[in-house]
Amino acid sequence: MSYVDGFVVPVPAGKKQAYRDLAEKAAAVFKEHGAIRVVECWGDDVPDGKITDFKGAVKAEEGEVVVFSWIVWPSKEARDEGNKKVMEDPRMQMNNEDSPFDGKRMIYGGFDVIVDV
């Protein structure tokens, strides 16, 4: 089965287009280095939870929208190799001032797919 990297990040609502531009650029790089699919989702119906929720997980502030995204890889090995190449790719180099989001509040992880219907 495939392998998935998942991400949740808060993005200021006014930076939606800047985020989308960055995501499209990054998606091309990830696919060039082995990703099968890259999906970026702009929060639309993200309710407040009673104990925890997406906003709390990334400490979203007033005026920020939660973005939920994932990258599908053929395998964990392909992901490890692809991520290494992506991080070394000069197109992915940027400083914090260029970023439309606060990367310190991003949560992410790698997941084995156990059901894919």
Side-chain angles (χ1 to χ4, degrees):
M1 278 231 181
S2 53
Y3 195 80
V4 175
D5 279 329
F7 307 86
V8 181
V9 65
V11 179
K15 294 188 176 185
K16 182 177 183 179
Q17 189 59 50
Y19 182 85
R20 183 178 180 158
D21 292 345
L22 175 64
E24 288 177 346
K25 175 181 149 184
V29 176
F30 278 103
K31 289 194 77 176
E32 186 178 312
H33 293 299
I36 298 170
R37 185 174 183 208
V38 178
V39 180
E40 296 279 350
C41 305
W42 190 259
D44 175 58
D45 184 13
V46 184
D48 293 335
K50 292 183 180 177
I51 297 174
T52 191
D53 57 35
F54 277 105
K55 293 177 222 169
V58 294
K59 298 189 185 305
E61 299 170 357
E62 185 71 32
E64 290 182 326
V65 175
V66 174
V67 173
F68 176 57
S69 57
W70 64 93
I71 303 170
V72 180
W73 300 90
S75 66
K76 184 174 187 211
E77 294 74 25
R79 175 267 211 156
D80 291 346
E81 185 177 319
N83 267 342
K84 184 176 186 300
K85 291 177 182 176
V86 167
M87 293 305 125
E88 294 170 352
D89 193 303
R91 295 170 291 178
M92 295 298 287
Q93 305 307 312
M94 61 188 230
N95 59 45
N96 288 339
E97 293 87 43
D98 295 335
S99 180
F101 63 91
D102 179 1
K104 289 179 260 172
R105 291 186 287 139
M106 177 191 301
I107 59 172
Y108 58 91
F111 302 84
D112 282 318
V113 175
I114 59 171
V115 175
D116 186 357
V117 181

